[in-house]
Amino acid sequence: MQRFLFPRWVNPFLAVLGLAAIGGAGYAAVMGGLITDPETLNVGYKPEQPVPFSHALHAGQLKMDCRYCHNTVFDAAHAAVPPTATCINCHSPANADGQTALAAVRTDSPKLLPIHESWLTGKSVAWKRVHNLPEYVYFNHAAHVNSGVSCKTCHGRIDQMEVVYQHEQLSMAWCIDCHRNFKKELRPQEFVTKLDWQPPADWDEEAIEAHVQEFNINPQVHCAVCHR
């Protein structure tokens, strides 16, 4: 049988292919290191919102419960972004006669114009997501808060933030570490949204273990938990 030989003009392409392979491996190594480095995982990400909503004022100074705005957090996988109607409950716009349909807190503030425009037109306010997990990651808010994991664990002291920013890495390693050492993040369910809560003397190892048994808390670390 006659042996097939590639023509000589193919030889330069072998060098190009080798360089491409080396370059691709280097690119993958660099990008892999960057996207898994805590400094590049959006820690500190603080987008400018269309309305300068202050959590430090609302959740901190006024002591508004997180569930007033994020009202699905105990029932659904997602903590709902509050609709315009929620804002209007307190910040109702005035009509031509200066009358308001609901509460009129700072009705004339120019900062509230996007809220009032949204209310009048029916178009949603273009809030910018701060904590944005990849599409291939499944996270259930209800499962966590109903187990006694506070908002503070993932979001930090939101009640002290004038502008909300990403406080934690939210990386796979960070989540796995929390699942492996979850007991330190637990608290009584009624204090999940009380971000300044400090464990009392009776919240000891025995009480935590009783809490774990009562709510059947057994965090898993296998892939199918988050990658579904």
Side-chain angles (χ1 to χ4, degrees):
M1 179 170 44
Q2 188 175 9
R3 187 174 61 175
F4 174 78
L5 297 176
F6 285 98
R8 292 181 180 276
W9 57 265
V10 174
N11 292 341
F13 289 99
L14 296 178
V16 173
L17 183 61
L19 289 174
I22 294 173
Y27 176 81
V30 171
M31 290 304 295
L34 286 175
I35 63 177
T36 57
D37 189 312
E39 297 302 320
T40 59
L41 287 172
N42 282 341
V43 174
Y45 175 59
K46 186 169 60 175
E48 183 178 349
Q49 301 290 354
V51 178
F53 181 88
S54 169
H55 279 76
L57 171 63
H58 292 79
Q61 183 178 336
L62 300 179
K63 304 297 181 184
M64 290 177 61
D65 192 283
C66 306
R67 289 167 289 188
Y68 182 78
C69 295
H70 305 287
N71 56 7
T72 65
V73 69
F74 273 85
D75 303 309
H78 298 285
V81 175
T84 300
T86 300
C87 307
I88 291 298
N89 284 338
C90 296
H91 301 291
S92 180
N95 60 21
D97 297 326
Q99 300 296 316
T100 59
L102 301 171
V105 179
R106 296 190 179 277
T107 298
D108 298 328
S109 173
K111 296 178 181 179
L112 292 172
L113 288 178
I115 297 293
H116 294 165
E117 182 179 354
S118 172
W119 180 245
L120 294 173
T121 63
K123 296 182 179 180
S124 300
V125 177
W127 300 107
K128 296 179 182 177
R129 183 183 291 272
V130 179
H131 306 85
N132 193 17
L133 296 179
E135 292 184 358
Y136 53 80
V137 175
Y138 175 77
F139 179 85
N140 190 312
H141 277 84
H144 287 77
V145 295
N146 282 303
S147 295
V149 178
S150 174
C151 313
K152 175 180 175 290
T153 295
C154 297
H155 299 297
R157 288 297 301 273
I158 291 284
D159 59 325
Q160 296 178 345
M161 296 182 187
E162 191 66 34
V163 179
V164 172
Y165 62 90
Q166 184 169 319
H167 187 267
E168 301 292 345
Q169 296 177 22
L170 307 183
S171 65
M172 184 172 71
W174 184 84
C175 293
I176 290 176
D177 181 66
C178 189
H179 274 213
R180 288 173 175 166
N181 304 281
F182 67 95
K183 291 183 180 179
K184 62 183 177 64
E185 302 298 342
L186 297 179
R187 62 178 64 187
Q189 192 185 77
E190 62 268 28
F191 297 121
V192 163
T193 60
K194 183 175 174 55
L195 305 188
D196 59 353
W197 179 81
Q198 293 296 326
D202 60 351
W203 186 250
D204 53 16
E205 186 175 346
E206 183 178 349
I208 294 174
E209 189 58 38
H211 180 92
V212 170
Q213 297 301 321
E214 178 183 357
F215 292 95
N216 191 28
I217 303 172
N218 183 29
Q220 303 295 306
V221 294
H222 58 79
C223 304
V225 173
C226 300
H227 303 292
R228 304 183 180 184

